[in-house]
Amino acid sequence: MSLLHDSPGSSPPEPPPDTALERTLREQQTLLDNAGAGIAFIRQQRVVRCNLRYAQIFGYDAPEDLCGQRSESFYPDTTAFRELGRAAYPVVSAGETFRVERLMRRRDGSMFWGRLTGSLINPKDTSEGSIWIIDDINEQKNAQVQLDAAIWEKQILLDNAMVGIVYLRDRHLTRCNRHFEQMLGYGPGELEGSSSRRWLPDEAAWEDVGRRCYEPLAQGLSFEGELPLRRKDGTPVLCDVRSKAIDPSNLALGSIWICMDITERKQAQTELIKVHAELESLVAERTQQLRDTVATLHREIDDRKLDQERIYWLAHYDPLTGLPNRTLLAERSTQAIEVARQDQTPISVIFLDLDHFKHVNDSLGHRVGDALLVQIAKRLRAVVREKDTVCRLGGDEFILLLPGANAKGAARVAGKLLEASRQPYQIDHHELTMAPSMGIAVYPDDGNDFDSLSQSADVAMYRAKQGGRNTYRFFTPEMQAHSVRALQLENALRRALERDQFSLHYQPQVCIATQQVLGVEALLRWQHPELGMVSPAEFIPIAEDCGQILPIGEWVLRTALAQLKSWHTQGLILPSISVNLSAVQFRQPRLPELIARILADAGLTPCSLELELTEGVAMDDPRMAIDTMDQLHALGVRLSIDDFGTGYSSLSQLKRFPISKLKIDQSFVRDLGEDANDRAIVSAIIRMAQALGMHTIAEGVETREQFDFLRDQGCDQAQGFYCGHPQAADQLQVYLQACRKAQLSATATGKRPNPTSAFTAFLR
């Protein structure tokens, strides 16, 4: 019987080979479809076959949609694709598996992180293609970035805290910050692993702390109290201590302790105790603000995908009130005026200024003032229409842009604003009433562009203030006369420099500890033959607006340095001279080269010059500002921040600036004798500057009481009428010669020079 035929009663025939192959392929496809990772077969840089997960990862509905797709499309760009090929080929061609984490691109163009595993089907014949497995690890990557950022922020807070922070486990120190070590007089790491008994006075005190503190910690509560500690040299130190278990449900994890040295506070007199209570309240407020800032940072980390929107918001909105800022107002006003010009419709602009707002800041502090501004902003938004714009210009000034509103409509809005202002604001336990003064300008009668409209509204607002405040005024042609002086000053400024109408006065900057003159500040004066003496506060802003500040500023620098060189030639001791630099000057593209050239022309070293900058110079372009400051610092010129504390500078930016000195604004110095908030703010600025390695100088020092307070707080220098009025160079030279004479006399007699006598004589 032939072997090709079945015999009767024999077993069923074996399935043909193609049926087994089909079953194998079905099993393979089932395995691919149920795999948790994406799997694809690639040949000649194209997808031959893939599973559903692979298609889903790249944003496709079915594996068939990817067949024939070039694998290069899965990568951000051609360069990234080729780099992967160059990295993978040596590995897979050797018969090994290639693994890597790379940024991939989905079908919709969005990027994600993937973990790739690839190998050749036949290392001896690469034409058979390769197998690639991909895992979507985008969420893991983002989570790791957030975790790293949170750990970094926690370490920054620990390193820069102004209180001692200690972690204890089983009453042994596992970790502490440098402030705690310095507070007790120990070196870095010297306390690590030590028992807390080491910094307590005796065994009894140690046991008492255990009884008082660890019972509430075991109950999940926190401990707050005063504890006597001991420094390394044995001297006692009294600390305000706060502690809490890291995890009340697992006390073995230990506890965290925050310690503040209050020894001097306890030794002070009753009045100082009262001041300290106010300062402690301020610390609590600052601590809350720090918590709020940390919370904001965490929210920003969660909102990484919205960075572009956040940047836009910061560029177009006021960070305190959330209202549109000048930039956004300019954009909207341009659009509104264009529509009004085409449709022949009106636009009203209301310039609003809060009456006596400064009294709130001076009496209740800037925290209350800021909270009040936030509530006022909410009330302003509630009055206007959705299409209207409420902008905060800065401080207590607001502008309302009302498209389509004529004079009658603007008057109705102004009336609503006055009515809304009659309702008191509740800030903490303070009930405050804040009235506005408003000026109204209407397009096109009062201006054809937004600048002229806002200027007209500003003029009308000042007329409202002159008319008794808490009211509004429409701009009238008669008010234009009040703007004539500004135009007159601008025209006169353009010829003032060539007509030699400017001069410099110099005000001493005195070392508080020795009362020696360490430098002078050059102050610009303008004596016009017809207008008389014009205040810098009046003409400097005009000079900035009309572009004259650049030649005037260069003249000030050259004149001041030439005078300093003249004094040096005469043997007069004066280490440096300070010159104010406006924001317009600071933004010059080649400012460092100009400064270097002027110093070389004067024959002076760069350390002879100190440039005073306002806090706002870096607001528009922080990167440019830091680059310019770094170049000036590298040149050897010293930099200081003028009027510190009055602006809205970011401390995260401030720590990056190569600043050597902070100049405390006179608004905080003026009321040191009466305002505890000002004393607290000045002390805080001095402490912050010391922590950042910066010197401090207080301006506006007019009394001995202010001078003594600044000395007690550790302020380095003082400037003001108490230390010397601004004087012409020849008048100041008399004092400098007296100082030099006193020093030469002391050197000849072998005695130490007495700067106090020359200083006192100069004050007379």
Side-chain angles (χ1 to χ4, degrees):
M1 184 178 292
S2 172
L3 295 176
L4 298 177
H5 297 84
D6 293 336
S7 61
S10 64
S11 301
E14 292 293 326
D18 58 340
T19 303
L21 175 61
E22 290 175 357
R23 184 171 62 251
T24 301
L25 291 175
R26 284 197 303 272
E27 291 172 353
Q28 185 187 65
Q29 186 62 45
T30 301
L31 178 62
L32 290 175
D33 291 342
N34 291 276
I39 304 174
F41 296 86
I42 307 295
R43 183 180 300 127
Q44 298 298 324
Q45 298 184 0
R46 293 186 181 273
V47 177
V48 177
R49 187 180 180 196
C50 70
N51 66 350
L52 178 60
R53 178 56 183 156
Y54 191 89
Q56 291 172 339
I57 288 176
F58 286 98
Y60 291 85
D61 296 329
E64 293 77 9
D65 296 339
L66 279 170
C67 291
Q69 181 78 23
R70 286 185 59 82
S71 56
E72 179 181 341
S73 65
F74 305 146
Y75 297 88
D77 50 42
T78 302
T79 300
F81 175 70
R82 292 176 178 174
E83 287 179 354
L84 178 68
R86 286 194 293 270
Y89 182 77
V91 178
V92 298
S93 62
E96 299 177 1
T97 299
F98 176 75
R99 295 180 177 87
V100 71
E101 292 180 1
R102 282 296 174 96
L103 199 63
M104 310 292 289
R105 182 162 65 92
R106 302 189 202 274
R107 184 181 187 180
D108 60 6
S110 62
M111 301 298 174
F112 72 99
W113 279 95
R115 181 183 293 114
L116 296 174
T117 303
S119 60
L120 291 174
I121 295 175
N122 183 2
K124 296 180 179 180
D125 184 1
T126 59
S127 66
E128 293 185 18
S130 58
I131 298 176
W132 289 88
I133 301 173
I134 181 170
D135 291 309
D136 187 341
I137 61 170
N138 203 50
E139 292 185 0
Q140 300 175 26
K141 279 283 187 179
N142 289 338
Q144 185 63 44
V145 170
Q146 296 173 3
L147 176 61
D148 293 343
I151 293 173
W152 178 81
E153 291 166 359
K154 177 182 176 183
Q155 187 61 44
I156 289 295
L157 290 173
L158 182 66
D159 293 342
N160 293 276
M162 300 301 293
V163 294
I165 302 177
V166 183
Y167 291 86
L168 295 181
R169 183 179 298 170
D170 192 23
R171 303 192 75 177
H172 281 72
L173 185 145
T174 59
R175 188 182 182 192
C176 71
N177 66 350
R178 183 62 186 134
H179 186 89
F180 183 76
E181 295 171 330
Q182 293 173 334
M183 184 175 69
L184 298 184
Y186 288 92
E190 194 173 348
L191 287 173
E192 187 172 350
S194 298
S195 168
S196 58
R197 168 69 181 84
R198 185 174 182 180
W199 55 79
L200 286 164
D202 49 44
E203 190 73 23
W206 189 63
E207 294 177 356
D208 179 64
V209 169
R211 287 191 297 270
R212 292 172 57 193
C213 303
Y214 282 92
E215 182 176 350
L217 296 185
Q219 298 174 3
L221 304 175
S222 61
F223 170 78
E224 297 181 8
E226 298 176 1
L227 295 180
L229 304 183
R230 182 181 62 182
R231 294 189 177 92
K232 182 178 181 179
D233 61 6
T235 58
V237 54
L238 185 62
C239 285
D240 183 3
V241 175
R242 311 208 173 177
S243 65
K244 192 170 185 179
I246 295 175
D247 184 356
S249 64
N250 185 5
L251 297 180
L253 294 179
S255 56
I256 183 172
W257 298 70
I258 299 177
C259 307
M260 181 188 300
D261 185 351
I262 59 171
T263 306
E264 293 184 2
R265 186 190 71 184
K266 286 298 182 179
Q267 296 173 347
Q269 299 176 356
T270 304
E271 183 61 27
L272 290 180
I273 294 176
K274 178 181 177 182
V275 173
H276 177 75
E278 296 168 351
L279 286 174
E280 193 170 26
S281 174
L282 181 62
V283 170
E285 294 170 3
R286 291 293 184 263
T287 303
Q288 182 59 46
Q289 292 176 1
L290 181 60
R291 293 194 187 100
D292 294 341
T293 302
V294 173
T296 301
L297 291 174
H298 284 298
R299 286 194 298 271
E300 291 177 353
I301 293 172
D302 295 336
D303 296 338
R304 291 290 186 185
K305 295 179 181 179
L306 302 176
D307 277 349
Q308 291 301 320
E309 290 81 355
R310 180 64 178 165
I311 292 172
Y312 178 88
W313 190 92
L314 290 173
H316 292 80
Y317 290 88
D318 173 50
L320 175 64
T321 63
L323 294 176
N325 62 11
R326 292 175 184 268
T327 302
L328 184 54
L329 177 66
E331 294 177 2
R332 292 184 179 179
S333 63
T334 301
Q335 297 169 1
I337 290 175
E338 183 61 29
V339 171
R341 184 178 292 112
Q342 294 176 1
D343 298 346
Q344 297 296 305
T345 55
I347 299 175
S348 290
V349 173
I350 300 179
F351 197 112
L352 184 149
D353 183 89
L354 301 175
D355 296 334
H356 305 300
F357 179 78
K358 185 177 183 297
H359 294 172
V360 176
N361 281 337
D362 292 344
S363 59
L364 301 180
H366 288 277
R367 187 192 64 82
V368 174
D370 288 348
L372 177 59
L373 286 173
V374 171
Q375 290 200 18
I376 289 173
K378 292 180 180 178
R379 198 169 292 185
L380 292 176
R381 280 196 297 256
V383 169
V384 301
R385 302 165 299 178
E386 183 68 25
K387 66 179 181 179
D388 297 331
T389 298
V390 180
C391 164
R392 181 183 179 223
L393 293 180
D396 60 341
E397 293 183 338
F398 300 84
I399 278 189
L400 284 70
L401 177 68
L402 312 177
N406 55 17
K408 184 177 179 180
R412 184 165 56 251
V413 172
K416 290 181 179 180
L417 293 173
L418 291 175
E419 181 64 28
S421 69
R422 296 188 181 100
Q423 298 297 322
Y425 299 90
Q426 190 68 39
I427 309 295
D428 297 335
H429 59 279
H430 305 291
E431 187 175 87
L432 305 173
T433 301
M434 186 58 54
S437 292
M438 292 171 284
I440 304 175
V442 181
Y443 171 87
D445 296 338
D446 302 329
N448 291 319
D449 55 51
F450 185 74
D451 287 340
S452 59
L453 284 172
S454 60
Q455 289 172 7
S456 298
D458 191 8
V459 170
M461 183 273 294
Y462 279 105
R463 179 59 61 89
K465 283 188 175 294
Q466 294 171 0
R469 302 177 186 272
N470 192 18
T471 186
Y472 64 88
R473 291 284 185 274
F474 281 91
F475 178 79
T476 63
E478 290 77 16
M479 294 179 185
Q480 189 64 35
H482 293 278
S483 302
V484 172
R485 177 171 172 83
L487 181 60
Q488 188 179 22
L489 289 177
E490 179 178 340
N491 292 332
L493 270 173
R494 299 185 185 278
R495 305 297 298 273
L497 195 60
E498 64 182 72
R499 292 176 177 175
D500 200 24
Q501 294 173 356
F502 290 119
S503 63
L504 293 183
H505 281 199
Y506 304 88
Q507 188 170 30
Q509 295 177 330
V510 176
C511 174
I512 294 179
T514 65
Q515 298 183 359
Q516 286 182 314
V517 177
L518 299 182
V520 295
E521 181 181 3
L523 303 172
L524 181 61
R525 297 291 184 262
W526 181 20
Q527 180 69 43
H528 191 273
E530 298 174 0
L531 303 176
M533 182 63 72
V534 185
S535 169
E538 186 178 13
F539 73 81
I540 290 296
I542 297 175
E544 291 180 332
D545 291 340
C546 69
Q548 291 300 304
I549 193 64
L550 296 180
I552 293 174
E554 182 174 346
W555 179 87
V556 170
L557 281 166
R558 290 188 179 279
T559 305
L561 290 174
Q563 183 59 61
L564 181 64
K565 180 64 175 181
S566 174
W567 282 330
H568 285 183
T569 303
Q570 299 175 53
L572 300 178
I573 304 171
L574 193 63
S576 67
I577 193 165
S578 299
V579 177
N580 280 282
L581 209 61
S582 76
V584 176
Q585 290 176 273
F586 184 77
R587 287 193 290 266
Q588 291 183 83
R590 305 183 68 83
L591 176 65
E593 291 87 340
L594 175 64
I595 298 296
R597 188 165 59 251
I598 294 174
L599 283 165
D601 293 344
L604 291 171
T605 60
C607 64
S608 303
L609 175 62
E610 179 176 291
L611 296 177
E612 296 189 6
L613 312 172
T614 61
E615 291 183 69
V617 295
M619 293 297 288
D620 295 334
D621 191 347
R623 291 186 178 179
M624 182 279 292
I626 293 173
D627 181 64
T628 300
M629 290 184 189
D630 287 340
Q631 292 182 56
L632 291 171
H633 180 70
L635 185 63
V637 174
R638 291 180 297 168
L639 303 175
S640 67
I641 295 294
D642 194 15
D643 301 332
F644 183 78
T646 61
Y648 293 92
S649 62
S650 167
L651 294 182
S652 64
Q653 295 288 356
L654 178 63
K655 70 180 182 180
R656 300 173 60 192
F657 295 163
I659 300 299
S660 62
K661 186 188 298 181
L662 296 182
K663 196 167 189 178
I664 304 171
D665 187 69
Q666 60 183 341
S667 62
F668 302 125
V669 177
R670 184 184 303 114
D671 298 325
L672 283 179
E674 297 80 22
D675 194 325
N677 286 325
D678 282 347
R679 293 194 293 271
I681 291 172
V682 170
S683 298
I685 292 175
I686 294 172
R687 300 291 178 272
M688 182 191 70
Q690 291 172 343
L692 294 174
M694 301 178 184
H695 293 289
T696 50
I697 178 171
E699 62 178 346
V701 180
E702 298 183 358
T703 66
R704 178 59 181 266
E705 181 183 13
Q706 296 167 351
F707 190 91
D708 291 343
F709 176 85
L710 293 167
R711 179 197 59 212
D712 295 340
Q713 295 302 310
C715 184
D716 300 298
Q717 298 179 36
Q719 179 179 345
F721 288 174
Y722 181 76
C723 306
H725 291 253
Q727 299 187 50
D730 55 349
Q731 294 173 317
L732 183 64
Q733 184 169 320
V734 175
Y735 171 63
L736 297 177
Q737 288 172 339
C739 290
R740 180 172 181 270
K741 183 177 179 181
Q743 185 163 1
L744 292 174
S745 176
T747 302
T749 58
K751 298 179 180 179
R752 295 182 59 187
N754 183 11
T756 304
S757 59
F759 178 64
T760 305
F762 179 64
L763 295 183
R764 297 197 189 101

